[in-house]
Amino acid sequence: MTVRPVRTVRTRLAVAVVAAAVAAGALVTPATAAEPRQRTHHSGSGHERTQRALEQAVEAGSPGALAQAARAGHPAWNGEAGVADRTTGRERKPEDRFRVGSITKTFVATVILQLEAEGRLGLDDTVERWLPGLVRGNGHDGRSVTLRRLLNHTSGIYSYTEDDAFVRKLFGEKFFEHRYDTWAPRDLVRTAMGHEPYFAPGTDWRYSNTNYVLAGLVIEKVTGRPYGQELERRVLRPLGLRATSLPGTRPGMPRPSGRAYSVLVGPEPGTAIHDVTELNASAAWAAGEMISTTGDLNRFYRALLTGKVLPKGQVRKMTTTVAMGEDAPGLRYGLGLMAQKLSCGKEVWGHGGGIHGSSSEAVTTPDGRHALALNFNSDWAGDGAAVVEAEFCRP
C-alpha cells in the first residue's frame, strides 16, 4: 500500500508494485502498443480539467484512463483517454468493467454494519468470539482485537500481502506460475500469523489486507452464507449495481472490459509491460476481489453517504475516523471509508483500490451530490489524486 499526502490512498492488494530479483523481460514478451485514435471531447462540459488529468495519466505511461463524474441535477459525464487494449487499439468505454481492488473493503464494511444494525453482532465483539483460535501466533491474539479495529485498520494484525513468499508468487517473478491458483481465506490469515503484529491493538494505524479477510469470514460465520452472496443480496441487488460482481475463482473478466497491464517488478524505464488481465482473485477475496464500473461505484458511494444503504447511526459510526499517521496528513480512516481534505478545502469520502493491472478511486462529497470514480488499466502509472483534484477543485 502506498500512502501519499493530499491524495487518496492507493489501498492496493499489493503492498506496492514489488521489486523482484529477476528482470521483467524474462517473464513475458510485452504487448505491441497500437496507436490510439485521436478523440474530440466537447468543450464547455465543465470537466475539461478532469479530462486533461486523464490525458496526463496516459502521457505518464498508463495505457488507458477512464472516469465518470456524477452531479445532482446534471447528466453523468464520462471521460476517457488512451486505450483499453494495447494490441487492438480499442478505446476505453464508459461501461467497461475493471477490477476495483480495495474498494471492495467499503462494501464489506457496509455488510458488517448492516449486521450490527440488526443486532446480530457488535463492533466491539472480539475476533475470537466469531473466529475462535484463528488469530493466534507470534504475538497475535484475537481476544484483544475487535471488529471495529479490523474495519479501521487499528488491529495491528500483519498483512499477508507483505509476506515475502506470497509477494514472489503473486506480484513478482512467479506470477505466471501462480496466477490461476486458488487461495483459501483461512490460509491467507495463517500466512499473516507467521509474522509478529505491527503493534498492540488500538495503539496505532496501519493498513492490513488481513483485516478484511477476517471481516469476510465473520460475515460468513454470522450469516451462515458466503460473504459474496450476502454482499449481493444486501447491497448490489437493492441498489441495482448490475455491472458489479465478485468473481470468486473465475479468472476471466465479464464483458465489456479491456485489458489490465502491469510491470510486476517496478516502473523503471524499459521494463516490460505484461498483460495480467486473467487471474484468480481469491488471493484478494474480501480484501479486494470485486469487479465494477465507474457508474456503479458512483451510485454506491452516493447512496452510502446519503443513508440509503445504512441507518443513520451506522453511517455515523462508519464516518468516525482515526488518523492515518504522519505519512498521510489530511487523511483519516473510518470503517472501510476514508476522508480526504483536498487542496481547495473541499472534503470527499471514498476509497482507493489497486490490484494487478488496475488502479481505481471512487469518492463523493459528504452530501452525495458530487461523485467521481476513475480507473487506470495499469498499476505503475497515473495519478488518481490529480484527477480528483481537477474534478472537485475548479478555479
Side-chain angles (χ1 to χ4, degrees):
M1 180 196 61
T2 304
V3 179
R4 295 185 178 92
V6 197
R7 63 177 298 167
T8 44
V9 177
R10 290 277 168 80
T11 44
R12 302 187 172 188
L13 170 66
V15 175
V17 180
V18 300
V22 298
L27 297 173
V28 69
T29 302
T32 301
E35 186 70 25
R37 298 193 304 275
Q38 294 297 315
R39 277 163 277 175
T40 301
H41 296 276
H42 297 292
S43 61
S45 68
H47 301 278
E48 290 83 5
R49 294 179 70 246
T50 311
Q51 175 61 39
R52 180 58 187 144
L54 296 177
E55 294 166 357
Q56 288 172 337
V58 174
E59 292 167 6
S62 182
L66 184 68
Q68 184 191 87
R71 299 179 67 190
H74 299 269
W77 172 85
N78 294 290
E80 73 284 331
V83 296
D85 189 317
R86 298 177 74 241
T87 301
T88 67
R90 198 270 265 182
E91 297 174 356
R92 301 207 71 178
K93 302 176 182 178
E95 62 271 24
D96 275 353
R97 274 77 163 168
F98 49 85
R99 300 186 191 275
V100 305
S102 286
I103 290 174
T104 306
K105 291 178 171 68
T106 310
F107 289 80
V108 171
T110 298
V111 173
I112 290 283
L113 285 161
Q114 287 181 343
L115 292 170
E116 191 228 9
E118 296 164 9
R120 301 178 68 179
L121 57 75
L123 292 179
D124 294 321
D125 291 350
T126 65
V127 174
E128 182 71 12
R129 173 178 175 180
W130 294 107
L131 305 171
L134 184 58
V135 178
R136 294 288 178 88
N138 289 304
H140 287 96
D141 188 347
R143 294 171 297 184
S144 59
V145 177
T146 64
L147 303 188
R148 190 189 311 272
R149 287 171 177 169
L150 293 182
L151 299 185
N152 68 11
H153 294 297
T154 60
S155 72
I157 293 174
Y158 187 88
S159 182
Y160 67 93
T161 51
E162 292 191 24
D163 176 80
D164 288 343
F166 184 89
V167 167
R168 286 193 298 273
K169 287 181 179 179
L170 266 294
F171 307 111
E173 70 270 27
K174 295 186 178 181
F175 169 76
F176 293 100
E177 296 176 39
H178 295 280
R179 68 193 300 175
Y180 301 117
D181 290 358
T182 294
W183 299 77
R186 286 179 176 264
D187 287 341
L188 299 176
V189 176
R190 292 186 185 102
T191 296
M193 295 302 102
H195 301 266
E196 294 181 358
Y198 297 126
F199 47 79
T203 63
D204 205 344
W205 186 92
R206 181 157 172 171
Y207 192 86
S208 173
N209 286 301
T210 311
N211 288 330
Y212 276 78
V213 171
L214 289 164
L217 288 169
V218 169
I219 291 171
E220 296 193 339
K221 185 64 174 290
V222 173
T223 65
R225 288 183 288 270
Y227 99 92
Q229 288 185 14
E230 283 297 289
L231 199 153
E232 290 172 4
R233 183 175 73 86
R234 292 169 170 272
V235 182
L236 304 189
R237 288 202 294 269
L239 291 181
L241 305 182
R242 297 180 179 86
T244 302
S245 61
L246 295 122
T249 60
R250 300 186 301 275
M253 289 288 294
R255 295 181 179 179
S257 60
R259 309 303 294 176
Y261 299 100
S262 177
V263 293
L264 289 179
V265 297
E268 295 83 1
T271 298
I273 296 173
H274 312 281
D275 187 320
V276 294
T277 308
E278 289 198 357
L279 61 88
N280 182 334
S282 62
W285 203 59
E289 71 167 303
M290 184 177 284
I291 293 169
S292 191
T293 63
T294 54
D296 271 14
L297 292 177
N298 279 338
R299 191 174 304 117
F300 168 66
Y301 279 102
R302 296 178 81 182
L304 181 64
L305 268 293
T306 54
K308 296 180 176 65
V309 184
L310 291 171
K312 290 182 179 179
Q314 276 63 44
V315 174
R316 283 195 297 271
K317 292 175 182 179
M318 193 176 215
T319 54
T320 299
T321 60
V322 295
M324 293 169 55
E326 60 184 20
D327 292 331
L331 296 174
R332 298 185 64 84
Y333 204 93
L335 304 183
L337 195 63
M338 188 160 44
Q340 177 189 6
K341 188 75 73 173
L342 301 178
S343 63
C344 56
K346 291 183 179 179
E347 183 179 70
V348 292
W349 289 81
H351 214 286
I355 194 168
H356 303 72
S358 182
S359 302
S360 307
E361 309 277 359
V363 295
T364 183
T365 51
D367 60 7
R369 293 182 60 82
H370 189 180
L372 176 75
L374 65 97
N375 174 260
F376 306 128
N377 57 356
S378 63
D379 55 19
W380 76 93
D383 186 351
V387 184
V388 172
E389 288 273 342
E391 176 61 28
F392 290 93
C393 293
R394 302 180 182 185

